[in-house]
Amino acid sequence: MDPREIIAAALRRERDRAGLSLSELAKRAGIAKSTLSQLESGAGNPSVETLWALGVALGVPFSRLVDPPGRAVQVIRAGDAPAIRSEQANFTGGILSACPPGARRDIHVITL
């Protein structure tokens, strides 16, 4: 994902979360409304200072504006994991977390 797209999505998300208009956020951050509009559309190329000012105005850490979004957390409660019964032995197994791309691990639950 392009860093400008990450920043644009983060700015829109955080501004909506704060309940601020484009004009109000631009005013609080000390930047032009047109600059903020360009940043939120993914067309701008912000400086670190501009992003810092926006983070302060939104009350969020700088990292929340520049880090790509993390994967959604999925909670599987005890006993809710899809289980596969063995046909040859007395056990069941189920996968709790499948390996994300680029990694080499899965998390299983096995009941014996």
Side-chain angles (χ1 to χ4, degrees):
M1 184 178 241
D2 183 331
R4 289 178 294 187
E5 293 173 13
I6 293 169
I7 292 167
L11 286 172
R12 287 189 304 270
R13 178 188 68 235
E14 296 303 328
R15 184 171 62 81
D16 287 344
R17 188 176 293 165
L20 297 173
S21 68
L22 202 67
S23 299
E24 182 61 25
L25 178 55
K27 180 180 171 184
R28 289 183 184 191
I31 64 172
K33 180 181 170 184
S34 60
T35 300
L36 180 55
S37 179
Q38 285 181 335
L39 294 176
E40 283 196 4
S41 70
N45 188 14
S47 67
V48 171
E49 292 82 9
T50 298
L51 289 176
W52 192 270
L54 287 164
V56 169
L58 288 165
V60 298
F62 177 82
S63 62
R64 194 169 306 167
L65 299 179
V66 296
D67 284 344
R71 292 182 52 194
V73 174
Q74 179 185 13
V75 175
I76 300 175
R77 305 218 182 275
D80 289 347
I84 300 172
R85 290 192 147 315
S86 170
E87 294 178 9
Q88 299 174 354
N90 188 20
F91 73 89
T92 59
I95 188 162
L96 295 179
S97 177
C99 177
R104 297 183 64 123
R105 61 115 182 103
D106 291 334
I107 300 175
H108 297 266
V109 62
I110 298 175
T111 306
L112 304 170

